[in-house]
């Protein structure tokens, strides 16, 4: 299984989270500079022309790009606190580039996130419920950062569904 992991703004995939992901497959975690351009789905995929990603996992700005890539290549995604409401819906549904598959999404939103407003994300998704299969979990005590134990729990839940 090929996993594309997309980190957030000014962040990287930690060794602990990478070890969790490696239990499920080969991890590609490109180093992305979001400060010059937030939306980079084409640039993110460019270094991997021969790789067929089975799943996309992303956090914050990486979750935003992961949402777009998931739709583009038709693969499921696990997304942590994506700032979806900051961009037009038309950007979230680019024309499919590859064979479409299951582009279901599992999202975890922090109820106390001070960087990405969970209410705005929910309102945004609510306007487009007919477009995707979504599983949304809101942790009322969670902020923007995802603790390793919660990351591990969400990853296990995600893979249990897509591998069954």
């Amino acid at each position: 299984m090929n996993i594309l992991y997309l980190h957030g703004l000014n962040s990287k995939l930690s060794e602990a989270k990478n070890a969790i992901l490696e239990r499920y497959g080969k991890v590609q975690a490109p180093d992305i500079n979001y400060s010059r351009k937030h939306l980079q789905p084409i640039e993110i995929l460019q270094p991997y022309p021969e790789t067929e990603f089975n799943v996309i996992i992303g956090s914050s700005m990486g979750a935003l790009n992961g949402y777009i890539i998931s739709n583009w290549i038709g693969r499921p995604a696990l997304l942590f606190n994506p700032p979806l409401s900051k961009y037009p819906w038309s950007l979230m549904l680019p024309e499919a580039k590859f064979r479409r598959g299951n582009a279901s999404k599992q999202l975890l939103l922090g109820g106390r996130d001070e960087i990405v407003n969970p209410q705005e994300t929910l309102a945004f998704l609510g306007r487009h419920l007919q477009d995707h299969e979504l599983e949304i979990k809101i942790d009322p005590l969670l902020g923007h950062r995802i603790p390793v134990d919660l990351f591990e729990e969400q990853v296990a839940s995600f893979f249990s569904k897509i591998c069954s």
Side-chain angles (χ1 to χ4, degrees), residues 67-119:
Y67 194 99
I68 296 167
I69 291 170
S70 169
N71 291 334
W72 201 30
I73 67 173
R75 297 294 183 258
L78 171 58
L79 308 169
F80 298 94
N81 294 318
L84 300 176
S85 66
K86 304 294 182 199
Y87 300 92
W89 182 247
S90 60
L91 294 175
M92 303 302 152
L93 293 170
E95 184 177 326
K97 180 170 177 59
F98 305 104
R99 192 179 107 225
R100 301 283 297 188
N102 180 5
S104 63
K105 317 262 185 308
Q106 179 176 322
L107 288 85
L108 176 64
L109 306 177
R112 293 193 178 170
D113 191 334
E114 295 179 357
I115 296 173
V116 176
N117 184 320
Q119 293 169 331

Side-chain angles (χ1 to χ4, degrees), residues 116-134:
V116 176
N117 184 320
Q119 293 169 331
E120 290 177 6
T121 301
L122 284 172
F124 179 86
L125 291 169
R127 290 189 297 272
H128 305 285
L129 286 176
Q130 71 281 3
D131 295 319
H132 299 293
E133 178 183 332
L134 299 173

Side-chain angles (χ1 to χ4, degrees), residues 15-30:
E15 288 183 28
K17 290 179 180 178
N18 187 59
I20 292 165
L21 293 175
E22 285 180 338
R23 296 178 202 158
Y24 300 94
K26 183 177 180 184
V27 180
Q28 297 293 336

Side-chain angles (χ1 to χ4, degrees), residues 1-161:
M1 171 148 331
N2 289 313
I3 301 166
L4 177 61
Y5 179 85
L6 305 175
H7 63 77
L9 180 66
N10 300 323
S11 183
K12 300 287 177 256
L13 177 61
S14 71
E15 288 183 28
K17 290 179 180 178
N18 187 59
I20 292 165
L21 293 175
E22 285 180 338
R23 296 178 202 158
Y24 300 94
K26 183 177 180 184
V27 180
Q28 297 293 336
D31 185 12
I32 306 162
N33 180 0
Y34 296 114
S35 61
R36 63 178 178 82
K37 184 178 175 187
H38 290 170
L39 299 177
Q40 300 185 45
I42 294 169
E43 295 87 342
I44 289 168
L45 289 175
Q46 248 172 354
Y48 309 103
E50 303 299 319
T51 304
E52 182 178 339
F53 290 107
N54 305 100
V55 299
I56 298 92
I57 299 175
S59 184
S60 191
M61 197 60 66
L64 170 65
N65 282 278
Y67 194 99
I68 296 167
I69 291 170
S70 169
N71 291 334
W72 201 30
I73 67 173
R75 297 294 183 258
L78 171 58
L79 308 169
F80 298 94
N81 294 318
L84 300 176
S85 66
K86 304 294 182 199
Y87 300 92
W89 182 247
S90 60
L91 294 175
M92 303 302 152
L93 293 170
E95 184 177 326
K97 180 170 177 59
F98 305 104
R99 192 179 107 225
R100 301 283 297 188
N102 180 5
S104 63
K105 317 262 185 308
Q106 179 176 322
L107 288 85
L108 176 64
L109 306 177
R112 293 193 178 170
D113 191 334
E114 295 179 357
I115 296 173
V116 176
N117 184 320
Q119 293 169 331
E120 290 177 6
T121 301
L122 284 172
F124 179 86
L125 291 169
R127 290 189 297 272
H128 305 285
L129 286 176
Q130 71 281 3
D131 295 319
H132 299 293
E133 178 183 332
L134 299 173
E135 179 181 327
I136 303 168
K137 179 178 179 186
I138 302 164
D139 184 326
L141 302 178
L142 181 65
H144 192 67
R145 299 260 178 223
I146 308 300
V148 173
D149 60 333
L150 185 57
F151 180 84
E152 183 172 30
E153 174 189 300
Q154 289 297 302
V155 167
S157 170
F158 176 70
F159 279 103
S160 73
K161 290 176 195 123

